Amino acid sequence: MTSKMDRRKQYTRMVLKESLLKLLQEKSISNLTIKEICETADINRSTYYAHYSNQYELLESIEEEFIEDLVATLGRYNFSKEEEALQMTEKLFEFLADKNGICKILLSENTDMYFLKKGMGITHEFIFKNWVTDSRIDQETYEYINMFMVSGSIHVIKNWLENGMDKTPGEMAGILHHFINRGLSGVG
């Protein structure tokens, strides 16, 4: 009996998540109602409220699931040295290419800023943590440089997804890696 309830619960949550993602393609999270989500999912409101208290909680569960999957995927690789950052960046682009539909929605203006901020933290943790190793740079300057690299990279990823992934993950990793290591002077 318990496993059947668990399966029903999982199914309900999956349908609600799919419905929210579908609606987020057209409307922002702040303009969505529980009624719309329930109608799209073909689930009544009381069932919805048995799982989530509002649309933001549902969105947060989607974001958390995506981030857990990303961290688990990147965590399988042990790239820690600067020269290995290129391979980690390529793994990141491969993951994003594989999940491009949900990623485009989560990075769109229709969601909240939580996912973008969390993504920036993960990008720093897995990609940029070991790139700036110049000990002459003070901590405050390092933080500014890091913020520039991470936020720029997130927007490059967003643009790449919106452009239909017009370059391979390897090409994108190379572009990002080349720019970050050599800056604008190395382009061209």
Side-chain angles (χ1 to χ4, degrees):
M1 183 79 175
T2 309
S3 66
K4 187 173 183 177
M5 283 296 282
D6 290 347
R7 282 201 319 267
R8 265 200 342 240
K9 225 177 184 179
Q10 287 174 344
Y11 174 78
T12 301
R13 288 184 177 187
M14 179 194 73
V15 170
L16 288 170
K17 288 173 183 178
E18 288 173 357
S19 298
L20 180 62
L21 289 170
K22 182 179 179 189
L23 291 166
L24 284 172
Q25 292 175 21
E26 306 296 323
K27 294 173 89 171
S28 74
I29 186 74
S30 59
N31 291 328
L32 284 175
T33 64
I34 302 302
K35 182 180 178 195
E36 288 173 296
I37 297 168
C38 290
E39 285 174 357
T40 303
D42 196 24
I43 288 174
N44 67 47
R45 290 169 65 96
S46 61
T47 302
Y48 180 92
Y49 287 116
H51 297 274
Y52 304 101
S53 58
N54 57 44
Q55 68 270 40
Y56 296 98
E57 192 177 315
L58 174 56
L59 175 60
E60 186 179 325
S61 74
I62 294 169
E63 293 169 340
E64 286 294 333
E65 194 175 288
F66 183 90
I67 288 164
E68 284 172 17
D69 196 10
L70 173 61
V71 168
T73 300
L74 294 179
R76 280 185 258 170
Y77 306 99
N78 190 19
F79 302 134
S80 56
K81 297 186 188 90
E82 183 180 341
E83 58 271 13
E84 294 171 333
L86 178 62
Q87 292 119 310
M88 182 60 87
T89 307
E90 187 169 354
K91 294 296 178 198
L92 172 66
F93 275 101
E94 287 170 2
F95 177 86
L96 297 173
D98 186 48
K99 309 259 186 211
N100 73 81
I102 188 172
C103 198
K104 272 196 290 197
I105 294 167
L106 293 177
L107 286 173
S108 77
E109 285 76 30
N110 286 341
T111 61
D112 55 8
M113 292 301 290
Y114 170 81
F115 183 73
L116 192 58
K117 288 177 185 168
K118 193 76 173 164
M120 290 174 77
I122 291 166
T123 305
H124 171 258
E125 180 66 26
F126 284 98
I127 309 295
F128 297 113
K129 187 169 56 177
N130 300 303
W131 270 13
V132 180
T133 55
D134 190 337
S135 59
R136 294 171 298 167
I137 297 175
D138 64 90
Q139 187 62 34
E140 188 178 336
T141 304
Y142 168 78
E143 291 300 325
Y144 283 121
I145 291 169
N146 183 59
M147 181 59 69
F148 177 78
M149 291 189 310
V150 171
S151 61
S153 298
I154 295 282
H155 288 284
V156 165
I157 289 166
K158 185 177 175 186
N159 199 49
W160 175 66
L161 292 169
E162 288 170 358
N163 287 337
M165 300 174 298
D166 53 353
K167 295 190 179 303
T168 68
E171 289 170 326
M172 288 305 297
I175 290 168
L176 215 53
H177 189 75
H178 185 81
F179 175 74
I180 288 168
N181 283 317
R182 296 186 183 82
L184 286 174
S185 63
V187 177

